[in-house]
Amino acid sequence: MSNPFTLLANNETPFDTHLSSKFNSNQALNGLRLAVKDLFHVRGLPTSAGNPDWLRTHKVPDDTNSTVEALLNAGAMFVGKTITDELAYSLHGQNKHYDALLNPAAPEHIPGGSSSGSAVAVTANLADIGLGTDTGGSIRVPASYQGLWGLRTSHGAVHCDNMVSLAPSFDTVGWMTRDIDTMIAVSDIVLAATVNSNEVHAAQRTLENTTFGIASQLFCNVAHNVQCETWLSKLHATFQCNDIANNQLSVDAIDNASVFRILQGSEIWQTHGAWIEETSPDIANDIMLRLNWCKSITQQDVIDAKAKQQQVTQHINALFNSNDVLVIPTTPGIAPRIDASETTLANDRNSLLTLTSLAGLTGLPQLHLPLFTLHNAPCGLSLVGRKGSDLALLSIAKALVTTLNE
């Protein structure tokens, strides 16, 4: 099995010594193993951001990311830092600087990225909590491809301090687990102090008075549509549901993927452009091509895209006038095969962004539910909630899956 870690914990690191005295047996996450994406700073340990030139040109951090510290203070056991796609600018879980990561849930398929190592660690039972980031889908995609629960938090709900940014207006902290109870336990620790309770709508706290808006047209176009439709039929038969018509949510009309690419790309170059030009780092060809495109984005491109982003946000938020939770596909299907061509992977990335950029542009929380398999590979669907409703969304998901599986 491939090794998802860039650095394994040991009892001699300054980090372990610094925090071990805070642990006790009554803590909520006591004994749960934590794998940390190698974008998060941990005091006394290097951060590589998936690239040896980044590692070479940046000092060892003096401070620890607040989410990492909160999880450790709650009793989680740090087991190591994990491989990320270079600078987190990919969705496929392939990094040329490391041995290829194996998808433990579907070995003939890619693991998904960029929180690839954290996902593999959890899927392979080397960790219980996979901490990662999600800018364009980097929690949701590997969760879908590996059969994990995965939460992209509301933008701004969790501080992105002491970590390597990609595109700050879209960067979020998220996590992956094998079960919903662990997902909720982690979320209670990380989100309890940051999610404003006034933003959590009471209608989402109980399953019985929740209305689900189903993006029917989006489900027609996914490879696992038969599995989705069967589950959605149960949802329709048991709870209040609205079908969201194509004219209410047409990804072609609102052009959300293109808008997201431009705004994300502009911020990526603002964040990393100077370092790239000064360092000329060794970066995979496909990622470097996208970085060069980021450099070409004009200020007018950004102005136009921000205007469209406002329209997309208004469009999506309007759906919550008659729905409490939106139900959408997480990915277009199962993960591409490990021998997929560059063209196939590029097309897959474009299809992914069509779905993942809906929450990305609007800053909404999205939870992947690992419900299905297709051709022996995992897949599922997502619940999307109002901004700030992260904890309520998890409560709904647990009750929903429990009810429909009875």
Side-chain angles (χ1 to χ4, degrees):
M1 180 179 65
S2 58
N3 176 21
F5 295 100
T6 61
L7 184 150
L8 287 169
N10 65 73
N11 293 328
E12 298 176 356
T13 63
F15 172 73
D16 290 334
T17 302
H18 171 57
L19 287 175
S20 61
S21 62
K22 299 181 181 180
F23 299 164
N24 67 65
S25 60
N26 296 322
Q27 292 166 310
L29 304 182
N30 186 60
L32 294 180
R33 298 161 297 169
L34 172 66
V36 177
K37 184 177 184 177
D38 203 358
L39 291 184
F40 293 90
H41 293 332
V42 176
R43 194 185 87 171
L45 302 181
T47 303
S48 77
N51 182 272
D53 289 313
W54 182 275
L55 179 65
R56 175 178 59 82
T57 55
H58 291 79
K59 70 183 185 71
V60 174
D62 295 323
D63 298 298
T64 298
N65 169 267
S66 59
T67 297
V68 175
E69 193 155 14
L71 293 173
L72 292 167
N73 288 343
M77 180 176 64
F78 174 70
V79 293
K81 299 188 80 173
T82 58
I83 294 171
T84 174
D85 298 18
E86 293 180 86
L87 302 180
Y89 194 22
S90 179
L91 291 171
H92 290 136
Q94 298 170 321
N95 188 319
K96 71 172 191 173
H97 302 291
Y98 299 93
D99 292 338
L101 278 175
L102 177 71
N103 180 343
E108 295 182 348
H109 300 263
I110 65 172
S114 65
S115 302
S116 46
S118 292
V120 168
V122 174
T123 307
N125 199 21
L126 300 173
D128 304 296
I129 306 163
L131 186 64
T133 60
D134 189 308
T135 304
S138 294
I139 287 286
R140 293 162 287 170
V141 172
S144 178
Y145 287 174
Q146 295 186 46
L148 300 173
W149 293 85
L151 176 67
R152 172 201 166 89
T153 55
S154 294
H155 188 265
V158 182
H159 298 303
C160 292
D161 62 296
N162 294 313
M163 59 187 288
V164 180
S165 297
L166 180 62
S169 292
F170 305 103
D171 292 345
T172 63
V173 175
W175 39 92
M176 296 163 286
T177 63
R178 291 185 299 277
D179 61 85
I180 184 63
D181 289 332
T182 303
M183 169 64 66
I184 290 173
V186 172
S187 303
D188 283 343
I189 295 298
V190 179
L191 289 166
T194 55
V195 174
N196 186 335
S197 60
N198 292 329
E199 295 178 355
V200 179
H201 294 257
Q204 289 183 280
R205 287 203 171 274
T206 60
L207 188 58
E208 291 74 15
N209 60 4
T210 297
T211 299
F212 296 92
I214 300 173
S216 303
Q217 186 61 34
L218 295 182
F219 283 104
C220 292
N221 300 321
V222 299
H224 55 304
N225 66 306
V226 172
Q227 291 89 336
C228 290
E229 290 301 332
T230 299
W231 192 87
L232 292 171
S233 294
K234 288 185 182 180
L235 184 67
H236 259 293
T238 311
F239 301 103
Q240 178 64 43
C241 297
N242 294 323
D243 282 318
I244 299 174
N246 189 40
N247 62 354
Q248 293 178 287
L249 183 57
S250 170
V251 292
D252 292 329
I254 64 177
D255 198 22
N256 50 290
S258 176
V259 172
F260 180 83
R261 286 190 197 93
I262 291 169
L263 294 178
Q264 181 199 41
S266 174
E267 289 195 15
I268 289 171
W269 192 254
Q270 291 176 39
T271 302
H272 294 303
W275 174 77
I276 291 168
E277 294 195 322
E278 291 169 5
T279 308
S280 298
D282 180 14
I283 293 178
N285 289 337
D286 64 317
I287 296 177
M288 199 65 230
L289 284 172
R290 293 199 295 276
L291 289 168
N292 287 332
W293 173 78
C294 292
K295 182 180 179 180
S296 73
I297 297 171
T298 67
Q299 187 58 38
Q300 189 60 51
D301 292 334
V302 173
I303 291 171
D304 293 342
K306 284 186 175 180
K308 291 181 179 179
Q309 181 188 22
Q310 290 184 342
Q311 295 173 3
V312 173
T313 301
Q314 292 170 358
H315 188 86
I316 298 299
N317 285 340
L319 297 175
F320 289 104
N321 292 335
S322 53
N323 303 286
D324 300 303
V325 173
L326 306 182
V327 187
I328 69 171
T330 309
T331 59
I334 61 177
R337 291 179 55 88
I338 55 176
D339 57 359
S341 66
E342 290 187 10
T343 299
T344 297
L345 291 177
N347 291 337
D348 179 66
R349 176 182 172 80
N350 291 335
S351 297
L352 286 170
L353 285 175
T354 298
L355 296 173
T356 61
S357 61
L358 291 169
L361 283 172
T362 53
L364 301 178
Q366 181 173 340
L367 175 68
H368 173 71
L369 282 60
L371 298 174
F372 317 123
T373 59
L374 179 66
H375 307 310
N376 297 316
C379 48
L381 50 74
S382 279
L383 304 182
V384 178
R386 295 180 176 94
K387 191 170 184 178
S389 67
D390 307 51
L391 294 177
L393 196 65
L394 292 168
S395 177
I396 291 290
K398 180 176 180 178
L400 183 63
V401 172
T402 301
T403 301
L404 294 185
N405 286 345
E406 288 178 348

